[in-house]
Structures are given as structure tokens and as C-alpha cells.
Amino acid sequence: MTTRFKIHPAIGIARLGNSPTEFCISPEAPGELPIACDQDGNTQADPQHGEQRLNQDFWDKEGRIKRQAARFRIYAYSDANSSGQELSIGQELDVLMQKTGQILTGTLVDINWTAYIANKKATWYQFQETNGEHGYAPDHPLRNAEMTDVDLRQNLIIDPGPQSVSIVDPDQRRAAFAKGGNPGYAQSFPPRLQPNSIDTLGELLAVEQDGHGRLLVLGGYGNSGSVKKDLSQPHISSFANNDGWFDDTSDGYVTATLQIHVTKVNGKVPSVPYSDQFIPVDESAWVIVGYPRYAPQLQDMITLNDAVYDVMLRELAYNNCIYGVPPFDNAQKPPTTPSELKLWREQAVWNQNYYPYFWRDIWPILQRPENYQWVLDFDSFTGGDPHNTTPGGGGNFDPELLSIAPYHDQEPTERAYLHQRRRLIYGVLRQPGEENQYTRAITRSLSNQPIIGMPDLCGDNPISNVAPSKFLRLTDTMLFMLKQWAEGKFINERKEGISSKPLSEGEALDQGVLSNLLGGAFCPGGEVSWILRNPAIYAKPYRIRQRAVITPGALRLSAKELGTLEGAYDIALGLEPGDITKYDALPWQADFNECSTQDIDITYEDWNSIYPTSVGDPVAPIIQSIFWWPTHRPMMVFDTQWNPQDKQLELTGQVQWSGNIPQSNTGDLQMVTAWADLGFIVNISSDPGSPQFGQIKPPVKNS
């Protein structure tokens, strides 16, 4: 029996905070609050026997934001347990030694974890919307292009080197990605910066929780600054590319080795003591360090899991029952080699007889727009709740109504009415190829009426004329699910008393963590950019392909920097630390501040910028102001105040979430430090059926 070991989640998220004394753990399921823990990483049970969550304590006593740790676990998979089981210290394991063919039986006595994160932003190409998603042109500019010496450009990478921790020895449980904290490695950190220098990218901590050996990875403190020094500095001139700047977001790999005390070899006790064996975990993980999630319980219109799941489904044969090769079942041997995968992609199609579950697959998508009322002003958005902009609206966006599947005993008029309601809702959704169309024409009972396409949000490129993508659309997978629902091909699992097959614990972690990250639009994006949509970066579903040989102090540069392909970064060979976040804005606060609203020119579909004063085109531009990611970067929020009579928080009026910080380069510079004073938006209602999301502010800082 072969046992394989995997780290979950396959991609974890840690978040910045400026508290040097307290942290918490990032949520691991969609729309959950962070998990409370002490400074040794220990969690406590809540009354429901889950883990205690943060409620209003996102800050330490000094009003500084707690960092959020990414938590990693190891699961064992075997023929007898294909769903996996999390490893516990002291657990007995059977391990197949690949070189000798021996089966070793032993006790897990320790876990050695290694993580390596870095920041490559300052040495990468400039972000220019969708340019680079499918490769960079030879003339694509670099950040800090005036620095041409290859050795000097290597110093633009914040590279602390790898760090390792283990559980058994208390002195080996912590390590820091800090300047001077990694003897033997050629670290590189930027010099003194304005306004905030960077001397660390975070730390890692081995913990034992409920008998399980786990790893916590913490990121930096939200420090960003410029190395330039004169009377005009620090200065920000771009939402994405600012030469001389550094920030302390990062990403990199997480690996582990199991220390097993051998008690049997091939089922027999050895005649002489057998030395402890160190078994590498088969499948490693990746960690991304992003900025705070200020509205943790509200999901984006497209989550990162939606975006990644779509790639896994259509490119990596993740679920042949939904998208694959007929007869559409997962009993088929999945493609493994490049040639098998190429053939599969050529033959794979959507399974038109797949019936999604309403409450699991459909309603989570349909309900997301309703939650936008808590982070923007609907009146200025589309004239009200976007559900009611659907032709005929008027209260028809009722889940109990929309979840009624076709039944044989339904009256024809009722069946027709329900079908019309579903089709009208599906009809407003922007389809593939319509990313530059502001309106859609859908059939009503009496006429064709152009209406605003949904989602009414910015797309990947509403800025430049190279590969414009003005408006957001749902992923192909999301649209397929909703199309099946609109046609009546779905199951109301609650009514039928059906329990959907749950994901394994490992899969639930893989998908749950990513459900709390932004999955579009990518300009450049939230925690990550469009690089996560590229199937080439994955070794298998959800697993980032790690480069086989990584040299600390000599992380790969681009071919343009080296002037040759030899030794250059090559996505096909796998990723190194820093290779995901390097596509993001530098510093992150600039894009985060400006990605509020965007004035989009809709005069012509294929042009973002037109020139009405030029000869031959006297047309006056037609401009629409569109929001970016309101649940990710809130706009208008409800303030809260304490009601002493009812002893609870209550909502007050709506206010600008970021106060008087302008969406400009000046505001971007203010956000470099102001991010740590912004409020968090949480559900203050005790009634689960009537959520109310209001802003809570940090406590007054002690002087």
C-alpha cells in the first residue's frame, strides 16, 4: 500500500498587519472571520466546538492591525483512505521507500518545515494591463530600467533566503525572514526607505494544534518606501509602477520532511535498531502574502477560487463529470503526460446533462451582488439593488422562488413563469466575447430592450488600447452552471433531501482559502494578478509548479535583464519565491487606493482611449463611471455606534470608507501609511437571516 503525503492548502494566504505583538490565522472557508490565536499560535474552541474567531478585535491594544498567518497541514493519502487524513505527532505510518522498495512502519516523531518567500517586484517588467499575460514583447519596459547592471539588478530582489522550523525542540519552532537572520545565505534587502524601511518579510512558526503538527507563515508589517531622496521624495506617479519603491508583500514555497522512528521493516521488527528516516512530503505548497481583507465576510463577484477552479476544470481535467471527454465520469484515467493533456483538451466539452445543486453551486453566485449594498451606494450605482434592474425585477429575486426546479406536477403557467424568471436573470450576464460591451439586448415578452450587462464592474483592461477588456464577466464555469440553472437543469438539494458529496478536508482547504481572495478583474488585481489564470504554472490541480533548483541570493531575472535566455526566468520550469506577486502593483497601496472607480470610454467597443479632436472623428466621448472591486476595496460603508440600551452595535449613516483620501497619486502616497487606520466591515447582526454589515474602527492609540 503506497502512502502519499500532501500539504494543504495547496496555496495559502497570509496578510500584512502593523502589530509587532499580536497575530491571528487567515480564514480557511469562504466568507469566514479570521481565527483567533495567542502568540504561540495556539487556538481556543468556541461554544460550537469550532475555533474561536475574531469579532471586533482586528487590532492590538495600541490600535495596530494584527497580521494574519497562513496555516498549513499535512495529509496522508492511501488506497485505503483516498480522502486523506491529517497527520498527528505520534501517529503510526507505513511508508514505501522508492529506492529500495521496502515498506517501513514507524511513528511520526517530528515535522521539519521549510519556507522561502521573496519579493521580486522592483526587478520585474512594468505592469501594463494585459501586456505580458501571454509573454512580454522584447521592447516591454522594466521597472527601474535605468539600473542596467545585472548584478545590481539582483539586489532589487528582497531575498531573505529559506528558513526551517520543527516542532519537538522549542528552540527550533520559530524563524524569521529578517535582515541578518539567515547566516550562510546571500540575503538582499533594500537600503533605508522613505517613509518605511523593510528589514523583514515575516516569519514562520511550527505549532502543535490538537495533536497535529502544523505550520504558520506570517508576512511583513505593511512597510513600503522609496530609496530616492530629494525634496520631491517620496513620490508616487503611477498606480502600478514606481521606480525606487519597495513593499513587503511576497510569495514562495512551503515544503516539509517527516521524521519517522522506524519500528518495522516489511512488517518485521529489525534485528538491529533502525535509524530514524526523513521522508520528504510528496506535494509541496505555496504561500502568498497580501494586504488586509477589510471586509472578510463579503465575497467578491469572482473569487480567486472561481478563477482557479475554472482553469483547473478546463485545462487540467479536474472534474470530468462537468467538463471533459464523454462519457463524463471520473473513473477515466486522468491525463498525466503533456501529450495526453493536449489530446484531452482537444476533445473535452461541457457536459450538457450535468445538473448543479442550487444551494451549493447557484445561490452563492446569485447572492453576491446583494451584499454590495454594504460597501457602496446603490443609488449612484444603478439606481438601486442590481437584482431589481432585471426586467420585471420588483421582488422576484427570491431564493425560494428561484430554487424551484421543474417538476412533473407543475402547472404549465407556473413552469413557464419560473423559466422566464431564470432566463431573464441569466440574460443580463455578460457572455464570452462581450467584455467590451456595456449593454446587452435580451428578449422580453413584448420587446428587445438593451440593459446594462452584469456584472457592472471594471474588467482586466479598461485603460489602454492594447487588448481592451473594459468590463468584468463571470468565468466560463460560472456561466455554464448558471446556464444549466436557467434551462431548468438543476437540483434543489434541500427539497430533495440530497446531501452533496463533501470535498475532502484537503480539497476544502485548497478551495476555501482561495475563496477569500480576489479573482478578477486583474488590473493588476488584488493579492495576485492574471498569472494565476495561466495553466503553465500548475504541476497539477491547485499545485504551483516549483522550480527544481532554486539558488538563494541568485533568484532568476528576466531574459531582458540578462540579455539572453540562458539562466533566465522560464515559467515552464516552475516558479521561484517572488514569482507570483512580482506582477502586482508597486507599492500595493497605490493600486489599492485607485481601484475604486474608473471612468470608462464606451464610445467604441475596441477603444479605451479615443481622440475626438483629431481629424476625421468629431464624436464626443461617452463616459461611464464604473466600480472596481467594492467588496475588496470598500467605497461607501455604514458607520456603527454602540447602543447602551440594547447593548449592541447599530448602524448609522453611510460614509466614505477611505475618508478624504483622493483617488490620485497624492492619495496613493497617503495610503502608504493610512491603510493601517482603515476600518473593518463585519456583520453586526445577531440574526443570521438578516445580516447587517457595518464599519468598526481601531481603538484610539495610546500616546
Side-chain angles (χ1 to χ4, degrees):
M1 179 177 63
T2 301
T3 301
R4 290 184 62 81
F5 304 102
K6 303 179 183 181
I7 301 175
H8 291 284
I11 303 173
I13 178 69
R15 296 193 180 276
L16 305 173
N18 62 334
S19 173
T21 59
E22 297 185 38
F23 66 90
C24 54
I25 299 172
S26 289
E28 298 169 333
E32 289 189 346
L33 289 166
I35 302 162
C37 67
D38 65 20
Q39 293 318 288
D40 291 322
N42 300 309
T43 61
Q44 291 184 340
D46 64 13
Q48 288 73 43
H49 306 291
E51 291 178 307
Q52 187 69 46
R53 302 279 166 173
L54 298 188
N55 184 10
Q56 300 172 25
D57 48 349
F58 291 90
W59 305 270
D60 64 17
K61 293 180 181 179
E62 301 298 320
R64 298 167 298 194
I65 295 177
K66 296 177 182 179
R67 291 182 294 166
Q68 293 184 23
R71 178 166 62 178
F72 295 93
R73 322 174 193 210
I74 301 174
Y75 284 77
Y77 295 83
S78 65
D79 297 337
N81 188 356
S82 59
S83 296
Q85 179 186 23
E86 186 180 0
L87 295 187
S88 300
I89 301 298
Q91 177 179 349
E92 186 176 84
L93 297 171
D94 291 323
V95 178
L96 173 66
M97 304 299 290
Q98 296 293 336
K99 291 184 178 180
T100 65
Q102 293 175 315
I103 295 179
L104 305 183
T105 301
T107 303
L108 177 63
V109 296
D110 202 357
I111 300 174
N112 181 274
W113 295 90
T114 298
Y116 187 178
I117 58 178
N119 180 308
K120 286 186 173 183
K121 287 185 179 181
T123 190
W124 195 239
Y125 293 95
Q126 290 185 15
F127 179 82
Q128 293 183 355
E129 294 75 65
T130 51
N131 286 343
E133 183 169 7
H134 304 293
Y136 291 96
D139 60 348
H140 193 103
L142 295 168
R143 289 170 175 159
N144 297 295
E146 76 282 356
M147 185 182 293
T148 57
D149 183 272
V150 173
D151 293 330
L152 292 178
R153 289 197 65 83
Q154 195 77 49
N155 293 330
L156 293 173
I157 300 174
I158 305 178
D159 181 3
Q163 286 284 16
S164 296
V165 292
S166 57
I167 294 172
V168 173
D169 185 348
D171 295 332
Q172 300 296 321
R173 289 184 178 180
R174 290 179 181 266
F177 299 107
K179 187 176 183 179
N182 207 339
Y185 287 99
Q187 294 183 315
S188 59
F189 278 85
R192 287 191 63 84
L193 307 172
Q194 297 184 80
N196 295 311
S197 293
I198 298 172
D199 296 319
T200 182
L201 289 183
E203 63 242 52
L204 65 164
L205 171 64
V207 296
E208 188 171 352
Q209 297 175 337
D210 298 326
H212 303 294
R214 297 169 177 171
L215 176 72
L216 301 181
V217 180
L218 287 154
Y221 294 98
N223 291 332
S224 301
S226 172
V227 71
K228 296 184 177 182
K229 298 178 181 179
D230 59 46
L231 290 177
S232 65
Q233 300 297 336
H235 176 68
I236 285 181
S237 59
S238 164
F239 77 96
N241 307 294
N242 291 283
D243 289 350
W245 278 80
F246 297 83
D247 69 30
D248 60 358
T249 59
S250 62
D251 69 276
Y253 66 75
V254 175
T255 62
T257 301
L258 309 179
Q259 182 178 347
I260 297 178
H261 179 67
V262 179
T263 56
K264 296 179 182 179
V265 178
N266 293 329
K268 298 180 180 180
V269 177
S271 56
V272 295
Y274 209 93
S275 60
D276 284 1
Q277 294 296 296
F278 295 86
I279 309 298
V281 170
D282 300 283
E283 296 187 12
S284 60
W286 210 264
V287 62
I288 295 166
V289 179
Y291 47 75
R293 178 83 191 197
Y294 292 95
Q297 295 164 290
L298 300 179
Q299 288 194 285
D300 298 299
M301 196 66 68
I302 301 175
T303 71
L304 188 59
N305 185 59
D306 291 329
V308 173
Y309 184 83
D310 181 66
V311 175
M312 301 301 99
L313 207 66
R314 297 186 298 108
E315 301 288 344
L316 295 180
Y318 188 56
N319 189 334
N320 206 66
C321 292
I322 302 174
Y323 184 87
V325 179
F328 299 113
D329 63 64
N330 287 323
Q332 301 179 42
K333 180 180 178 295
T336 55
T337 66
S339 59
E340 289 176 346
L341 197 56
K342 180 177 182 295
L343 180 62
W344 179 89
R345 288 170 179 161
E346 292 172 350
Q347 298 177 344
V349 294
W350 293 106
N351 179 5
Q352 299 301 322
N353 291 318
Y354 180 78
Y355 278 57
Y357 287 170
F358 179 83
W359 299 103
R360 183 193 65 185
D361 303 320
I362 305 301
W363 184 240
I365 302 173
L366 296 180
Q367 71 173 346
R368 290 176 191 172
E370 185 175 12
N371 287 327
Y372 276 47
Q373 65 183 296
W374 306 111
V375 287
L376 58 81
D377 182 1
F378 271 151
D379 290 337
S380 63
F381 184 40
T382 58
D385 186 333
H387 295 157
N388 289 331
T389 63
T390 304
N396 288 319
F397 216 92
D398 179 354
E400 298 303 326
L401 182 70
L402 300 179
S403 64
I404 300 176
Y407 296 101
H408 294 296
D409 58 352
Q410 284 175 344
E411 293 291 335
T413 54
E414 180 187 15
R415 182 187 290 262
Y417 171 75
L418 295 172
H419 180 73
Q420 181 191 44
R421 294 263 61 79
R422 295 192 301 267
R423 292 294 298 174
L424 286 174
I425 293 171
Y426 180 76
V428 305
L429 298 176
R430 193 171 284 109
Q431 299 295 308
E434 298 180 352
E435 292 84 354
N436 294 323
Q437 297 177 16
Y438 183 57
T439 60
R440 300 200 78 229
I442 70 171
T443 301
R444 298 187 66 189
S445 56
L446 298 177
S447 64
N448 287 342
Q449 177 186 2
I451 66 167
I452 297 172
M454 290 292 166
D456 191 15
L457 298 170
C458 294
D460 289 335
N461 179 17
I463 300 173
S464 69
N465 285 337
V466 178
S469 180
K470 300 182 182 184
F471 303 106
L472 186 68
R473 74 165 175 88
L474 302 183
T475 69
D476 288 357
T477 301
M478 296 168 80
L479 287 172
F480 169 73
M481 295 291 191
L482 290 171
K483 181 174 181 291
Q484 296 297 94
W485 165 78
E487 293 177 353
K489 296 180 178 180
F490 71 100
I491 296 170
N492 183 335
E493 67 270 35
R494 293 183 184 175
K495 179 178 175 59
E496 299 294 340
I498 298 174
S499 296
S500 59
K501 180 181 178 182
L503 297 172
S504 69
E505 288 185 15
E507 288 179 309
L509 287 171
D510 295 343
Q511 297 190 24
V513 167
L514 294 188
S515 294
N516 297 306
L517 281 69
L518 181 73
F522 291 124
C523 187
E527 300 90 349
V528 298
S529 190
W530 32 249
I531 184 63
L532 266 287
R533 294 190 304 211
N534 191 329
I537 72 170
Y538 299 97
K540 54 185 60 178
Y542 284 90
R543 298 280 169 186
I544 300 297
R545 186 186 307 276
Q546 180 182 323
R547 193 177 183 95
V549 178
I550 297 175
T551 306
L555 298 179
R556 304 281 174 158
L557 300 174
S558 70
K560 183 168 186 174
E561 290 170 295
L562 296 174
T564 174
L565 290 175
E566 185 177 353
Y569 167 80
D570 183 351
I571 197 171
L573 299 180
L575 303 191
E576 293 182 333
D579 277 344
I580 288 179
T581 52
K582 69 184 179 186
Y583 295 89
D584 296 347
L586 179 61
W588 67 264
Q589 292 96 334
D591 181 59
F592 182 79
N593 180 57
E594 289 199 45
C595 278
S596 51
T597 60
Q598 182 75 36
D599 289 338
I600 299 180
D601 192 322
I602 62 171
T603 312
Y604 303 114
E605 282 189 14
D606 298 328
W607 289 77
N608 279 315
S609 299
I610 66 169
Y611 311 99
T613 58
S614 65
V615 176
D617 196 352
V619 176
I622 304 173
I623 305 295
Q624 290 288 340
S625 183
I626 306 296
F627 287 96
W628 277 98
W629 331 299
T631 52
H632 191 79
R633 193 280 191 207
M635 294 294 298
M636 297 289 294
V637 299
F638 287 90
D639 255 340
T640 60
Q641 66 180 14
W642 179 255
N643 184 326
Q645 183 175 352
D646 297 333
K647 296 183 179 181
Q648 64 182 16
L649 285 173
E650 62 182 16
L651 299 180
T652 59
Q654 277 187 304
V655 297
Q656 288 279 355
W657 176 66
S658 58
N660 59 2
I661 298 177
Q663 277 76 64
S664 64
N665 291 334
T666 299
D668 299 345
L669 184 59
Q670 292 175 334
M671 189 62 78
V672 167
T673 53
W675 69 271
D677 297 317
L678 297 172
F680 282 75
I681 294 86
V682 297
N683 181 16
I684 65 169
S685 173
S686 58
D687 181 359
S690 300
Q692 291 185 325
F693 290 87
Q695 174 179 230
I696 56 175
K697 299 286 286 185
V700 177
K701 298 179 182 179
N702 296 331
S703 59

